[in-house]
Every structure is written in C-alpha cells, then in structure tokens.
PDB file of all heavy atoms in Angstrom:
ATOM      1  N   ALA I 907       0.550  -4.150  -5.078  1.00 97.00           N
ATOM      2  CA  ALA I 907       0.283  -3.670  -3.714  1.00 97.00           C
ATOM      3  C   ALA I 907       1.489  -3.917  -2.819  1.00 97.00           C
ATOM      4  O   ALA I 907       1.916  -3.021  -2.079  1.00 97.00           O
ATOM      5  CB  ALA I 907      -0.959  -4.356  -3.154  1.00 97.00           C
ATOM      6  N   ARG I 908       2.033  -5.111  -2.871  1.00 96.00           N
ATOM      7  CA  ARG I 908       3.200  -5.421  -2.028  1.00 96.00           C
ATOM      8  C   ARG I 908       4.390  -4.527  -2.369  1.00 96.00           C
ATOM      9  O   ARG I 908       5.129  -4.097  -1.484  1.00 96.00           O
ATOM     10  CB  ARG I 908       3.572  -6.898  -2.167  1.00 96.00           C
ATOM     11  CG  ARG I 908       2.586  -7.839  -1.499  1.00 96.00           C
ATOM     12  CD  ARG I 908       3.092  -9.267  -1.456  1.00 96.00           C
ATOM     13  NE  ARG I 908       3.346  -9.836  -2.766  1.00 96.00           N
ATOM     14  CZ  ARG I 908       2.440 -10.455  -3.521  1.00 96.00           C
ATOM     15  NH1 ARG I 908       1.195 -10.581  -3.080  1.00 96.00           N
ATOM     16  NH2 ARG I 908       2.772 -10.961  -4.697  1.00 96.00           N
ATOM     17  N   ALA I 909       4.579  -4.232  -3.644  1.00 97.00           N
ATOM     18  CA  ALA I 909       5.701  -3.384  -4.060  1.00 97.00           C
ATOM     19  C   ALA I 909       5.526  -1.943  -3.586  1.00 97.00           C
ATOM     20  O   ALA I 909       6.507  -1.275  -3.250  1.00 97.00           O
ATOM     21  CB  ALA I 909       5.858  -3.424  -5.581  1.00 97.00           C
ATOM     22  N   LEU I 910       4.295  -1.456  -3.553  1.00 98.00           N
ATOM     23  CA  LEU I 910       4.045  -0.075  -3.134  1.00 98.00           C
ATOM     24  C   LEU I 910       4.223   0.138  -1.640  1.00 98.00           C
ATOM     25  O   LEU I 910       4.628   1.207  -1.200  1.00 98.00           O
ATOM     26  CB  LEU I 910       2.617   0.344  -3.513  1.00 98.00           C
ATOM     27  CG  LEU I 910       2.343   0.629  -4.968  1.00 98.00           C
ATOM     28  CD1 LEU I 910       0.847   0.875  -5.176  1.00 98.00           C
ATOM     29  CD2 LEU I 910       3.150   1.810  -5.466  1.00 98.00           C
ATOM     30  N   VAL I 911       3.877  -0.880  -0.851  1.00 97.00           N
ATOM     31  CA  VAL I 911       3.824  -0.730   0.595  1.00 97.00           C
ATOM     32  C   VAL I 911       5.220  -0.828   1.204  1.00 97.00           C
ATOM     33  O   VAL I 911       5.912  -1.823   1.050  1.00 97.00           O
ATOM     34  CB  VAL I 911       2.884  -1.789   1.206  1.00 97.00           C
ATOM     35  CG1 VAL I 911       2.990  -1.796   2.720  1.00 97.00           C
ATOM     36  CG2 VAL I 911       1.447  -1.529   0.767  1.00 97.00           C
ATOM     37  N   GLY I 912       5.594   0.240   1.921  1.00 96.00           N
ATOM     38  CA  GLY I 912       6.865   0.263   2.631  1.00 96.00           C
ATOM     39  C   GLY I 912       6.682   0.304   4.133  1.00 96.00           C
ATOM     40  O   GLY I 912       7.629   0.091   4.883  1.00 96.00           O
ATOM     41  N   SER I 913       5.448   0.586   4.573  1.00 96.00           N
ATOM     42  CA  SER I 913       5.186   0.654   6.007  1.00 96.00           C
ATOM     43  C   SER I 913       3.726   0.310   6.273  1.00 96.00           C
ATOM     44  O   SER I 913       2.928   0.196   5.357  1.00 96.00           O
ATOM     45  CB  SER I 913       5.507   2.050   6.557  1.00 96.00           C
ATOM     46  OG  SER I 913       4.645   3.023   5.986  1.00 96.00           O
ATOM     47  N   GLY I 914       3.426   0.193   7.536  1.00 95.00           N
ATOM     48  CA  GLY I 914       2.081  -0.168   7.975  1.00 95.00           C
ATOM     49  C   GLY I 914       2.175  -1.218   9.064  1.00 95.00           C
ATOM     50  O   GLY I 914       3.255  -1.761   9.332  1.00 95.00           O
ATOM     51  N   GLU I 915       1.063  -1.497   9.684  1.00 94.00           N
ATOM     52  CA  GLU I 915       1.022  -2.469  10.768  1.00 94.00           C
ATOM     53  C   GLU I 915       1.547  -3.818  10.272  1.00 94.00           C
ATOM     54  O   GLU I 915       1.077  -4.340   9.254  1.00 94.00           O
ATOM     55  CB  GLU I 915      -0.407  -2.605  11.272  1.00 94.00           C
ATOM     56  CG  GLU I 915      -0.579  -3.597  12.369  1.00 94.00           C
ATOM     57  CD  GLU I 915      -2.053  -3.825  12.705  1.00 94.00           C
ATOM     58  OE1 GLU I 915      -2.848  -2.884  12.585  1.00 94.00           O
ATOM     59  OE2 GLU I 915      -2.372  -4.962  13.074  1.00 94.00           O
ATOM     60  N   PRO I 916       2.528  -4.411  10.973  1.00 94.00           N
ATOM     61  CA  PRO I 916       3.128  -5.667  10.512  1.00 94.00           C
ATOM     62  C   PRO I 916       2.121  -6.799  10.267  1.00 94.00           C
ATOM     63  O   PRO I 916       2.227  -7.515   9.273  1.00 94.00           O
ATOM     64  CB  PRO I 916       4.114  -6.024  11.621  1.00 94.00           C
ATOM     65  CG  PRO I 916       4.482  -4.701  12.215  1.00 94.00           C
ATOM     66  CD  PRO I 916       3.220  -3.881  12.151  1.00 94.00           C
ATOM     67  N   ALA I 917       1.134  -6.953  11.139  1.00 91.00           N
ATOM     68  CA  ALA I 917       0.156  -8.027  10.958  1.00 91.00           C
ATOM     69  C   ALA I 917      -0.673  -7.797   9.693  1.00 91.00           C
ATOM     70  O   ALA I 917      -0.978  -8.744   8.966  1.00 91.00           O
ATOM     71  CB  ALA I 917      -0.757  -8.132  12.175  1.00 91.00           C
ATOM     72  N   MET I 918      -1.010  -6.555   9.435  1.00 91.00           N
ATOM     73  CA  MET I 918      -1.779  -6.233   8.227  1.00 91.00           C
ATOM     74  C   MET I 918      -0.919  -6.460   6.993  1.00 91.00           C
ATOM     75  O   MET I 918      -1.381  -7.016   5.991  1.00 91.00           O
ATOM     76  CB  MET I 918      -2.262  -4.778   8.283  1.00 91.00           C
ATOM     77  CG  MET I 918      -3.215  -4.400   7.179  1.00 91.00           C
ATOM     78  SD  MET I 918      -4.821  -5.207   7.266  1.00 91.00           S
ATOM     79  CE  MET I 918      -5.467  -4.544   8.780  1.00 91.00           C
ATOM     80  N   ARG I 919       0.332  -6.057   7.059  1.00 93.00           N
ATOM     81  CA  ARG I 919       1.242  -6.276   5.924  1.00 93.00           C
ATOM     82  C   ARG I 919       1.437  -7.768   5.670  1.00 93.00           C
ATOM     83  O   ARG I 919       1.548  -8.186   4.516  1.00 93.00           O
ATOM     84  CB  ARG I 919       2.579  -5.585   6.175  1.00 93.00           C
ATOM     85  CG  ARG I 919       2.451  -4.062   6.110  1.00 93.00           C
ATOM     86  CD  ARG I 919       3.748  -3.373   6.364  1.00 93.00           C
ATOM     87  NE  ARG I 919       4.696  -3.645   5.269  1.00 93.00           N
ATOM     88  CZ  ARG I 919       5.958  -3.291   5.308  1.00 93.00           C
ATOM     89  NH1 ARG I 919       6.448  -2.676   6.357  1.00 93.00           N
ATOM     90  NH2 ARG I 919       6.745  -3.548   4.283  1.00 93.00           N
ATOM     91  N   ALA I 920       1.460  -8.561   6.712  1.00 92.00           N
ATOM     92  CA  ALA I 920       1.602 -10.006   6.552  1.00 92.00           C
ATOM     93  C   ALA I 920       0.401 -10.587   5.806  1.00 92.00           C
ATOM     94  O   ALA I 920       0.556 -11.501   4.999  1.00 92.00           O
ATOM     95  CB  ALA I 920       1.763 -10.680   7.910  1.00 92.00           C
ATOM     96  N   ARG I 921      -0.787 -10.057   6.058  1.00 90.00           N
ATOM     97  CA  ARG I 921      -1.989 -10.538   5.357  1.00 90.00           C
ATOM     98  C   ARG I 921      -1.915 -10.218   3.869  1.00 90.00           C
ATOM     99  O   ARG I 921      -2.544 -10.863   3.054  1.00 90.00           O
ATOM    100  CB  ARG I 921      -3.245  -9.891   5.948  1.00 90.00           C
ATOM    101  CG  ARG I 921      -3.538 -10.381   7.364  1.00 90.00           C
ATOM    102  CD  ARG I 921      -4.919 -10.006   7.864  1.00 90.00           C
ATOM    103  NE  ARG I 921      -5.921 -10.592   7.000  1.00 90.00           N
ATOM    104  CZ  ARG I 921      -6.773  -9.883   6.248  1.00 90.00           C
ATOM    105  NH1 ARG I 921      -6.768  -8.585   6.273  1.00 90.00           N
ATOM    106  NH2 ARG I 921      -7.652 -10.490   5.494  1.00 90.00           N
ATOM    107  N   LEU I 922      -1.128  -9.220   3.515  1.00 90.00           N
ATOM    108  CA  LEU I 922      -0.988  -8.808   2.122  1.00 90.00           C
ATOM    109  C   LEU I 922       0.025  -9.687   1.380  1.00 90.00           C
ATOM    110  O   LEU I 922       0.222  -9.528   0.190  1.00 90.00           O
ATOM    111  CB  LEU I 922      -0.544  -7.339   2.078  1.00 90.00           C
ATOM    112  CG  LEU I 922      -0.681  -6.580   0.774  1.00 90.00           C
ATOM    113  CD1 LEU I 922      -2.126  -6.466   0.362  1.00 90.00           C
ATOM    114  CD2 LEU I 922      -0.058  -5.206   0.914  1.00 90.00           C
ATOM    115  N   SER I 923       0.625 -10.632   2.065  1.00 87.00           N
ATOM    116  CA  SER I 923       1.709 -11.404   1.472  1.00 87.00           C
ATOM    117  C   SER I 923       1.266 -12.354   0.358  1.00 87.00           C
ATOM    118  O   SER I 923       2.062 -12.718  -0.491  1.00 87.00           O
ATOM    119  CB  SER I 923       2.459 -12.190   2.551  1.00 87.00           C
ATOM    120  OG  SER I 923       1.595 -13.149   3.127  1.00 87.00           O
ATOM    121  N   GLY I 924       0.015 -12.748   0.327  1.00 87.00           N
ATOM    122  CA  GLY I 924      -0.469 -13.650  -0.723  1.00 87.00           C
ATOM    123  C   GLY I 924      -1.250 -12.904  -1.790  1.00 87.00           C
ATOM    124  O   GLY I 924      -1.260 -11.677  -1.832  1.00 87.00           O
ATOM    125  N   ASP I 925      -1.898 -13.654  -2.651  1.00 91.00           N
ATOM    126  CA  ASP I 925      -2.756 -13.046  -3.669  1.00 91.00           C
ATOM    127  C   ASP I 925      -4.021 -12.495  -3.036  1.00 91.00           C
ATOM    128  O   ASP I 925      -4.513 -13.026  -2.042  1.00 91.00           O
ATOM    129  CB  ASP I 925      -3.148 -14.085  -4.731  1.00 91.00           C
ATOM    130  CG  ASP I 925      -2.049 -14.319  -5.742  1.00 91.00           C
ATOM    131  OD1 ASP I 925      -1.092 -13.518  -5.806  1.00 91.00           O
ATOM    132  OD2 ASP I 925      -2.147 -15.314  -6.487  1.00 91.00           O
ATOM    133  N   PHE I 926      -4.557 -11.447  -3.632  1.00 94.00           N
ATOM    134  CA  PHE I 926      -5.812 -10.862  -3.165  1.00 94.00           C
ATOM    135  C   PHE I 926      -6.945 -11.877  -3.300  1.00 94.00           C
ATOM    136  O   PHE I 926      -7.050 -12.572  -4.315  1.00 94.00           O
ATOM    137  CB  PHE I 926      -6.196  -9.652  -4.018  1.00 94.00           C
ATOM    138  CG  PHE I 926      -5.531  -8.373  -3.650  1.00 94.00           C
ATOM    139  CD1 PHE I 926      -4.286  -8.329  -3.062  1.00 94.00           C
ATOM    140  CD2 PHE I 926      -6.158  -7.175  -3.926  1.00 94.00           C
ATOM    141  CE1 PHE I 926      -3.678  -7.124  -2.744  1.00 94.00           C
ATOM    142  CE2 PHE I 926      -5.568  -5.968  -3.622  1.00 94.00           C
ATOM    143  CZ  PHE I 926      -4.333  -5.936  -3.028  1.00 94.00           C
ATOM    144  N   ALA I 927      -7.803 -11.930  -2.296  1.00 95.00           N
ATOM    145  CA  ALA I 927      -9.047 -12.688  -2.403  1.00 95.00           C
ATOM    146  C   ALA I 927      -9.945 -11.974  -3.416  1.00 95.00           C
ATOM    147  O   ALA I 927      -9.787 -10.766  -3.655  1.00 95.00           O
ATOM    148  CB  ALA I 927      -9.743 -12.725  -1.043  1.00 95.00           C
ATOM    149  N   PRO I 928     -10.899 -12.680  -4.017  1.00 97.00           N
ATOM    150  CA  PRO I 928     -11.840 -11.977  -4.900  1.00 97.00           C
ATOM    151  C   PRO I 928     -12.498 -10.810  -4.164  1.00 97.00           C
ATOM    152  O   PRO I 928     -12.989 -10.962  -3.049  1.00 97.00           O
ATOM    153  CB  PRO I 928     -12.858 -13.057  -5.270  1.00 97.00           C
ATOM    154  CG  PRO I 928     -12.070 -14.329  -5.179  1.00 97.00           C
ATOM    155  CD  PRO I 928     -11.159 -14.119  -3.996  1.00 97.00           C
ATOM    156  N   CYS I 929     -12.444  -9.656  -4.754  1.00 97.00           N
ATOM    157  CA  CYS I 929     -12.975  -8.390  -4.229  1.00 97.00           C
ATOM    158  C   CYS I 929     -12.233  -7.921  -2.973  1.00 97.00           C
ATOM    159  O   CYS I 929     -12.690  -7.035  -2.278  1.00 97.00           O
ATOM    160  CB  CYS I 929     -14.484  -8.450  -4.005  1.00 97.00           C
ATOM    161  SG  CYS I 929     -15.309  -6.904  -4.468  1.00 97.00           S
ATOM    162  N   GLY I 930     -11.054  -8.504  -2.718  1.00 97.00           N
ATOM    163  CA  GLY I 930     -10.206  -8.022  -1.638  1.00 97.00           C
ATOM    164  C   GLY I 930      -9.677  -6.638  -1.994  1.00 97.00           C
ATOM    165  O   GLY I 930      -9.484  -6.324  -3.169  1.00 97.00           O
ATOM    166  N   MET I 931      -9.460  -5.820  -0.967  1.00 97.00           N
ATOM    167  CA  MET I 931      -9.030  -4.436  -1.182  1.00 97.00           C
ATOM    168  C   MET I 931      -7.894  -4.050  -0.252  1.00 97.00           C
ATOM    169  O   MET I 931      -7.958  -4.289   0.945  1.00 97.00           O
ATOM    170  CB  MET I 931     -10.172  -3.464  -0.916  1.00 97.00           C
ATOM    171  CG  MET I 931     -11.291  -3.544  -1.864  1.00 97.00           C
ATOM    172  SD  MET I 931     -12.537  -2.303  -1.467  1.00 97.00           S
ATOM    173  CE  MET I 931     -13.709  -2.678  -2.758  1.00 97.00           C
ATOM    174  N   ALA I 932      -6.899  -3.415  -0.842  1.00 98.00           N
ATOM    175  CA  ALA I 932      -5.820  -2.808  -0.065  1.00 98.00           C
ATOM    176  C   ALA I 932      -5.976  -1.299  -0.178  1.00 98.00           C
ATOM    177  O   ALA I 932      -6.152  -0.770  -1.280  1.00 98.00           O
ATOM    178  CB  ALA I 932      -4.460  -3.232  -0.598  1.00 98.00           C
ATOM    179  N   VAL I 933      -5.934  -0.625   0.949  1.00 98.00           N
ATOM    180  CA  VAL I 933      -5.980   0.837   0.981  1.00 98.00           C
ATOM    181  C   VAL I 933      -4.581   1.294   1.365  1.00 98.00           C
ATOM    182  O   VAL I 933      -4.079   0.962   2.441  1.00 98.00           O
ATOM    183  CB  VAL I 933      -7.030   1.349   1.982  1.00 98.00           C
ATOM    184  CG1 VAL I 933      -7.039   2.879   2.018  1.00 98.00           C
ATOM    185  CG2 VAL I 933      -8.417   0.803   1.633  1.00 98.00           C
ATOM    186  N   VAL I 934      -3.950   2.026   0.449  1.00 98.00           N
ATOM    187  CA  VAL I 934      -2.565   2.454   0.616  1.00 98.00           C
ATOM    188  C   VAL I 934      -2.519   3.979   0.607  1.00 98.00           C
ATOM    189  O   VAL I 934      -3.035   4.611  -0.321  1.00 98.00           O
ATOM    190  CB  VAL I 934      -1.666   1.886  -0.503  1.00 98.00           C
ATOM    191  CG1 VAL I 934      -0.207   2.268  -0.280  1.00 98.00           C
ATOM    192  CG2 VAL I 934      -1.815   0.361  -0.611  1.00 98.00           C
ATOM    193  N   ASP I 935      -1.915   4.553   1.630  1.00 98.00           N
ATOM    194  CA  ASP I 935      -1.795   6.004   1.741  1.00 98.00           C
ATOM    195  C   ASP I 935      -0.371   6.441   1.413  1.00 98.00           C
ATOM    196  O   ASP I 935       0.598   5.742   1.747  1.00 98.00           O
ATOM    197  CB  ASP I 935      -2.161   6.468   3.152  1.00 98.00           C
ATOM    198  CG  ASP I 935      -3.632   6.241   3.477  1.00 98.00           C
ATOM    199  OD1 ASP I 935      -4.464   6.306   2.548  1.00 98.00           O
ATOM    200  OD2 ASP I 935      -3.944   5.997   4.657  1.00 98.00           O
ATOM    201  N   PHE I 936      -0.276   7.621   0.792  1.00 98.00           N
ATOM    202  CA  PHE I 936       1.014   8.201   0.433  1.00 98.00           C
ATOM    203  C   PHE I 936       1.074   9.605   1.015  1.00 98.00           C
ATOM    204  O   PHE I 936       0.185  10.418   0.764  1.00 98.00           O
ATOM    205  CB  PHE I 936       1.177   8.271  -1.093  1.00 98.00           C
ATOM    206  CG  PHE I 936       1.066   6.931  -1.764  1.00 98.00           C
ATOM    207  CD1 PHE I 936      -0.158   6.482  -2.241  1.00 98.00           C
ATOM    208  CD2 PHE I 936       2.177   6.116  -1.890  1.00 98.00           C
ATOM    209  CE1 PHE I 936      -0.270   5.245  -2.850  1.00 98.00           C
ATOM    210  CE2 PHE I 936       2.077   4.876  -2.502  1.00 98.00           C
ATOM    211  CZ  PHE I 936       0.847   4.445  -2.980  1.00 98.00           C
ATOM    212  N   ASP I 937       2.112   9.893   1.758  1.00 97.00           N
ATOM    213  CA  ASP I 937       2.272  11.201   2.388  1.00 97.00           C
ATOM    214  C   ASP I 937       3.008  12.133   1.419  1.00 97.00           C
ATOM    215  O   ASP I 937       4.113  12.602   1.702  1.00 97.00           O
ATOM    216  CB  ASP I 937       3.031  11.060   3.706  1.00 97.00           C
ATOM    217  CG  ASP I 937       2.967  12.331   4.537  1.00 97.00           C
ATOM    218  OD1 ASP I 937       2.073  13.166   4.281  1.00 97.00           O
ATOM    219  OD2 ASP I 937       3.824  12.497   5.424  1.00 97.00           O
ATOM    220  N   ILE I 938       2.378  12.359   0.271  1.00 97.00           N
ATOM    221  CA  ILE I 938       2.921  13.222  -0.778  1.00 97.00           C
ATOM    222  C   ILE I 938       1.762  13.976  -1.415  1.00 97.00           C
ATOM    223  O   ILE I 938       0.601  13.649  -1.192  1.00 97.00           O
ATOM    224  CB  ILE I 938       3.688  12.407  -1.857  1.00 97.00           C
ATOM    225  CG1 ILE I 938       2.787  11.319  -2.442  1.00 97.00           C
ATOM    226  CG2 ILE I 938       4.959  11.802  -1.293  1.00 97.00           C
ATOM    227  CD1 ILE I 938       3.423  10.533  -3.575  1.00 97.00           C
ATOM    228  N   ALA I 939       2.078  14.971  -2.234  1.00 96.00           N
ATOM    229  CA  ALA I 939       1.044  15.789  -2.872  1.00 96.00           C
ATOM    230  C   ALA I 939       0.825  15.458  -4.345  1.00 96.00           C
ATOM    231  O   ALA I 939      -0.183  15.853  -4.915  1.00 96.00           O
ATOM    232  CB  ALA I 939       1.406  17.269  -2.733  1.00 96.00           C
ATOM    233  N   HIS I 940       1.765  14.761  -4.958  1.00 98.00           N
ATOM    234  CA  HIS I 940       1.699  14.532  -6.404  1.00 98.00           C
ATOM    235  C   HIS I 940       1.807  13.045  -6.721  1.00 98.00           C
ATOM    236  O   HIS I 940       2.748  12.374  -6.271  1.00 98.00           O
ATOM    237  CB  HIS I 940       2.835  15.281  -7.123  1.00 98.00           C
ATOM    238  CG  HIS I 940       2.905  16.719  -6.776  1.00 98.00           C
ATOM    239  ND1 HIS I 940       2.003  17.641  -7.238  1.00 98.00           N
ATOM    240  CD2 HIS I 940       3.781  17.396  -5.977  1.00 98.00           C
ATOM    241  CE1 HIS I 940       2.315  18.831  -6.759  1.00 98.00           C
ATOM    242  NE2 HIS I 940       3.379  18.708  -5.983  1.00 98.00           N
ATOM    243  N   TRP I 941       0.877  12.545  -7.514  1.00 98.00           N
ATOM    244  CA  TRP I 941       0.898  11.145  -7.922  1.00 98.00           C
ATOM    245  C   TRP I 941       2.196  10.795  -8.659  1.00 98.00           C
ATOM    246  O   TRP I 941       2.682   9.672  -8.558  1.00 98.00           O
ATOM    247  CB  TRP I 941      -0.322  10.818  -8.790  1.00 98.00           C
ATOM    248  CG  TRP I 941      -1.599  10.817  -8.014  1.00 98.00           C
ATOM    249  CD1 TRP I 941      -2.531  11.813  -7.950  1.00 98.00           C
ATOM    250  CD2 TRP I 941      -2.103   9.756  -7.181  1.00 98.00           C
ATOM    251  NE1 TRP I 941      -3.573  11.448  -7.123  1.00 98.00           N
ATOM    252  CE2 TRP I 941      -3.333  10.194  -6.646  1.00 98.00           C
ATOM    253  CE3 TRP I 941      -1.622   8.501  -6.845  1.00 98.00           C
ATOM    254  CZ2 TRP I 941      -4.098   9.389  -5.797  1.00 98.00           C
ATOM    255  CZ3 TRP I 941      -2.384   7.701  -5.996  1.00 98.00           C
ATOM    256  CH2 TRP I 941      -3.602   8.153  -5.477  1.00 98.00           C
ATOM    257  N   ARG I 942       2.744  11.740  -9.365  1.00 97.00           N
ATOM    258  CA  ARG I 942       3.970  11.461 -10.127  1.00 97.00           C
ATOM    259  C   ARG I 942       5.137  11.097  -9.214  1.00 97.00           C
ATOM    260  O   ARG I 942       6.129  10.534  -9.654  1.00 97.00           O
ATOM    261  CB  ARG I 942       4.339  12.658 -11.010  1.00 97.00           C
ATOM    262  CG  ARG I 942       4.792  13.881 -10.240  1.00 97.00           C
ATOM    263  CD  ARG I 942       5.203  15.034 -11.142  1.00 97.00           C
ATOM    264  NE  ARG I 942       5.540  16.198 -10.364  1.00 97.00           N
ATOM    265  CZ  ARG I 942       4.711  17.196 -10.091  1.00 97.00           C
ATOM    266  NH1 ARG I 942       3.483  17.187 -10.561  1.00 97.00           N
ATOM    267  NH2 ARG I 942       5.112  18.218  -9.349  1.00 97.00           N
ATOM    268  N   ASP I 943       5.032  11.423  -7.912  1.00 97.00           N
ATOM    269  CA  ASP I 943       6.104  11.145  -6.962  1.00 97.00           C
ATOM    270  C   ASP I 943       5.966   9.800  -6.255  1.00 97.00           C
ATOM    271  O   ASP I 943       6.827   9.430  -5.450  1.00 97.00           O
ATOM    272  CB  ASP I 943       6.175  12.257  -5.917  1.00 97.00           C
ATOM    273  CG  ASP I 943       6.542  13.598  -6.530  1.00 97.00           C
ATOM    274  OD1 ASP I 943       7.230  13.600  -7.581  1.00 97.00           O
ATOM    275  OD2 ASP I 943       6.142  14.633  -5.968  1.00 97.00           O
ATOM    276  N   VAL I 944       4.890   9.056  -6.543  1.00 97.00           N
ATOM    277  CA  VAL I 944       4.710   7.751  -5.923  1.00 97.00           C
ATOM    278  C   VAL I 944       5.778   6.798  -6.453  1.00 97.00           C
ATOM    279  O   VAL I 944       6.080   6.780  -7.642  1.00 97.00           O
ATOM    280  CB  VAL I 944       3.306   7.186  -6.222  1.00 97.00           C
ATOM    281  CG1 VAL I 944       3.195   5.733  -5.771  1.00 97.00           C
ATOM    282  CG2 VAL I 944       2.236   8.030  -5.552  1.00 97.00           C
ATOM    283  N   GLY I 945       6.358   6.032  -5.552  1.00 97.00           N
ATOM    284  CA  GLY I 945       7.352   5.037  -5.940  1.00 97.00           C
ATOM    285  C   GLY I 945       7.134   3.762  -5.153  1.00 97.00           C
ATOM    286  O   GLY I 945       6.400   3.731  -4.155  1.00 97.00           O
ATOM    287  N   PHE I 946       7.763   2.706  -5.598  1.00 98.00           N
ATOM    288  CA  PHE I 946       7.692   1.453  -4.862  1.00 98.00           C
ATOM    289  C   PHE I 946       8.264   1.657  -3.467  1.00 98.00           C
ATOM    290  O   PHE I 946       9.284   2.319  -3.282  1.00 98.00           O
ATOM    291  CB  PHE I 946       8.435   0.343  -5.605  1.00 98.00           C
ATOM    292  CG  PHE I 946       7.753  -0.089  -6.867  1.00 98.00           C
ATOM    293  CD1 PHE I 946       8.466  -0.257  -8.034  1.00 98.00           C
ATOM    294  CD2 PHE I 946       6.386  -0.331  -6.899  1.00 98.00           C
ATOM    295  CE1 PHE I 946       7.840  -0.664  -9.206  1.00 98.00           C
ATOM    296  CE2 PHE I 946       5.750  -0.736  -8.053  1.00 98.00           C
ATOM    297  CZ  PHE I 946       6.468  -0.897  -9.218  1.00 98.00           C
ATOM    298  N   GLY I 947       7.570   1.134  -2.476  1.00 97.00           N
ATOM    299  CA  GLY I 947       8.000   1.253  -1.086  1.00 97.00           C
ATOM    300  C   GLY I 947       7.598   2.550  -0.421  1.00 97.00           C
ATOM    301  O   GLY I 947       7.884   2.752   0.757  1.00 97.00           O
ATOM    302  N   SER I 948       6.900   3.450  -1.131  1.00 97.00           N
ATOM    303  CA  SER I 948       6.573   4.762  -0.561  1.00 97.00           C
ATOM    304  C   SER I 948       5.208   4.812   0.124  1.00 97.00           C
ATOM    305  O   SER I 948       4.866   5.813   0.732  1.00 97.00           O
ATOM    306  CB  SER I 948       6.630   5.843  -1.649  1.00 97.00           C
ATOM    307  OG  SER I 948       5.616   5.649  -2.612  1.00 97.00           O
ATOM    308  N   GLY I 949       4.441   3.751   0.052  1.00 98.00           N
ATOM    309  CA  GLY I 949       3.101   3.755   0.627  1.00 98.00           C
ATOM    310  C   GLY I 949       3.042   3.143   2.014  1.00 98.00           C
ATOM    311  O   GLY I 949       3.893   2.345   2.406  1.00 98.00           O
ATOM    312  N   ARG I 950       2.006   3.540   2.734  1.00 98.00           N
ATOM    313  CA  ARG I 950       1.707   2.960   4.051  1.00 98.00           C
ATOM    314  C   ARG I 950       0.396   2.205   3.922  1.00 98.00           C
ATOM    315  O   ARG I 950      -0.618   2.769   3.521  1.00 98.00           O
ATOM    316  CB  ARG I 950       1.568   4.034   5.121  1.00 98.00           C
ATOM    317  CG  ARG I 950       1.294   3.448   6.529  1.00 98.00           C
ATOM    318  CD  ARG I 950       0.994   4.517   7.550  1.00 98.00           C
ATOM    319  NE  ARG I 950      -0.176   5.311   7.230  1.00 98.00           N
ATOM    320  CZ  ARG I 950      -1.441   4.937   7.446  1.00 98.00           C
ATOM    321  NH1 ARG I 950      -1.716   3.762   7.955  1.00 98.00           N
ATOM    322  NH2 ARG I 950      -2.429   5.745   7.128  1.00 98.00           N
ATOM    323  N   LEU I 951       0.420   0.908   4.233  1.00 98.00           N
ATOM    324  CA  LEU I 951      -0.795   0.105   4.164  1.00 98.00           C
ATOM    325  C   LEU I 951      -1.725   0.505   5.300  1.00 98.00           C
ATOM    326  O   LEU I 951      -1.398   0.320   6.472  1.00 98.00           O
ATOM    327  CB  LEU I 951      -0.464  -1.389   4.237  1.00 98.00           C
ATOM    328  CG  LEU I 951      -1.661  -2.334   4.148  1.00 98.00           C
ATOM    329  CD1 LEU I 951      -2.376  -2.191   2.802  1.00 98.00           C
ATOM    330  CD2 LEU I 951      -1.216  -3.773   4.372  1.00 98.00           C
ATOM    331  N   ASP I 952      -2.857   1.072   4.946  1.00 97.00           N
ATOM    332  CA  ASP I 952      -3.865   1.442   5.934  1.00 97.00           C
ATOM    333  C   ASP I 952      -4.671   0.212   6.338  1.00 97.00           C
ATOM    334  O   ASP I 952      -4.961   0.009   7.502  1.00 97.00           O
ATOM    335  CB  ASP I 952      -4.786   2.522   5.365  1.00 97.00           C
ATOM    336  CG  ASP I 952      -5.892   2.891   6.306  1.00 97.00           C
ATOM    337  OD1 ASP I 952      -5.606   3.530   7.332  1.00 97.00           O
ATOM    338  OD2 ASP I 952      -7.061   2.522   6.015  1.00 97.00           O
TER     339      ASP I 952
END
C-alpha cells in the first residue's frame, strides 16, 4: 500500500505509515484506464 500511494491527504498517508491493523483497509484510486499501467507511486490514497 505504501509503495502504491504517491498522493493523498498527508494526515491519511501518515496513518498508513505502519502495519495495517487487523481488517484495516486502504482504498487507493488510480487515474488510469488499464490495470497493466499501475505502478508504484501512481495511486492516490482515498
């Protein structure tokens, strides 16, 4: 999750800095049309 996220609200990104809590969820959006184009740093943490 940390590797995928390149943008998003700083406070929310800071919460992502540790390990996920049990059943914790990160929702990451990509402004692209094809999954094959996803790369590290290309996601926005919603």
